[in-house]
Amino acid sequence: TAEILEFSAAIDAPAHGTVLEARLEKGRGKVTTILVQSGTLNKGDIMIAGFEYGKVKQIVSDKGKVLKSATPSMPVEVLGLSGVPNSGDEVLVVDSERKAREVADFRKAKDREAQLQKQQALKMENFLIKMEEGEVSTVNVLLKADVRGSAQALIEALEELSTDEVRVKVVSSGVGGINSTDITLAATSNALVLGFNVRADAVARKTADNEGVRVEYYSIIYNLIDDVKAIMSG
């Protein structure tokens, strides 16, 4: 239908698009795959994606070719963002880094407010459940994955495993290798550390041994889910 009616996106405008995937890559840093949906993304543009922003340092096509710009319907890898955004985040090109920082800070403030409200609601829900049913067992999990999309999918899948008797709580999640900070957090929250396509570094492994933190590695989502189910049953 789009072809017959000759629909087309605006090209001579600041780029607008969506984050498809994001990851930390050794030697390249934060790599964000985006789909440009309208406008043109140029090298040197100030881009904001979710809570992250920065100057576009490099644009790479799906064929691995370095580009100067990307037009509508092009999926490209972009380097230069301050962090790793979430899959599905909106991508915008703005006039200045100051404007980008203001938008990012506003979004972070709104997110913190929403998270606080969610935590308060969860505390009340947990309190009421404990009053009605007595203590509910909880399996705390700290999750690290190679890409943001996998982390998001796993968080949803793990939290859906919760039952009336046993709840699964993801205390923390992130992209990249498992480090000593992750192990320390897992120790204080009595959490199981799960690595999906990532591993713990030498310092983290030593810290895990000293703290008695259990670390498990996976490359298949179903294996990870099955093992957490087994822990819940136990």
Side-chain angles (χ1 to χ4, degrees):
T1 301
E3 286 179 8
I4 292 167
L5 297 177
E6 296 182 354
F7 289 152
S8 61
I11 295 177
D12 299 325
H16 178 271
T18 303
V19 175
L20 301 180
E21 190 56 276
R23 66 185 185 278
L24 285 170
E25 192 172 304
K26 197 172 182 180
R28 295 179 76 196
K30 292 104 177 175
V31 180
T32 306
T33 304
I34 69 166
L35 176 66
V36 180
Q37 292 170 293
S38 67
T40 300
L41 179 69
N42 301 297
K43 183 180 177 181
D45 281 349
I46 304 298
M47 188 177 94
I48 181 165
F51 306 140
E52 311 301 338
Y53 65 92
K55 183 180 282 190
V56 177
K57 293 179 181 176
Q58 191 179 61
I59 302 172
V60 183
S61 74
D62 56 332
K63 303 290 191 297
K65 185 179 177 181
V66 177
L67 307 172
K68 289 184 179 178
S69 61
T71 52
S73 81
M74 287 181 68
V76 289
E77 286 186 344
V78 173
L79 275 66
L81 285 181
S82 55
V84 181
N86 290 318
S87 300
D89 276 351
E90 182 185 32
V91 173
L92 293 169
V93 167
V94 293
D95 297 334
S96 65
E97 197 160 330
R98 181 183 172 184
K99 179 71 174 175
R101 192 183 301 112
E102 286 175 0
V103 174
D105 289 345
F106 175 77
R107 288 178 174 179
K108 285 175 183 175
K110 293 291 285 182
D111 184 66
R112 277 195 297 270
E113 191 179 311
Q115 290 295 331
L116 193 62
Q117 289 177 351
K118 188 177 177 182
Q119 286 172 7
Q120 293 297 334
L122 194 60
K123 282 179 184 176
M124 180 57 71
E125 184 188 348
N126 288 342
F127 176 71
L128 292 171
I129 288 170
K130 285 176 182 177
M131 281 184 65
E132 291 173 4
E133 304 175 6
E135 283 291 329
V136 177
S137 298
T138 304
V139 177
N140 288 330
V141 171
L142 188 148
L143 175 71
K144 293 298 286 288
D146 56 340
V147 295
R148 184 69 75 185
S150 296
Q152 288 174 242
L154 280 163
I155 290 167
E156 289 179 17
L158 286 168
E159 290 180 343
E160 283 177 3
L161 295 176
S162 295
T163 65
D164 292 339
E165 292 81 24
V166 185
R167 297 194 158 209
V168 179
K169 183 179 179 184
V170 180
V171 295
S172 178
S173 66
V175 173
I178 299 163
N179 55 43
S180 57
T181 305
D182 297 322
I183 301 299
T184 304
L185 176 58
T188 55
S189 55
N190 194 27
L192 167 70
V193 178
L194 305 178
F196 186 76
N197 286 332
V198 296
R199 301 188 75 80
D201 59 34
V203 178
R205 288 197 297 271
K206 188 174 180 181
T207 307
D209 289 340
N210 293 337
E211 297 286 347
V213 173
R214 182 175 169 186
V215 182
E216 301 289 346
Y217 305 116
Y218 299 90
S219 58
I220 298 171
I221 286 180
Y222 302 110
N223 290 348
L224 186 153
I225 299 299
D226 287 343
D227 279 6
V228 174
K229 279 183 181 176
I231 290 168
M232 291 171 67
S233 299

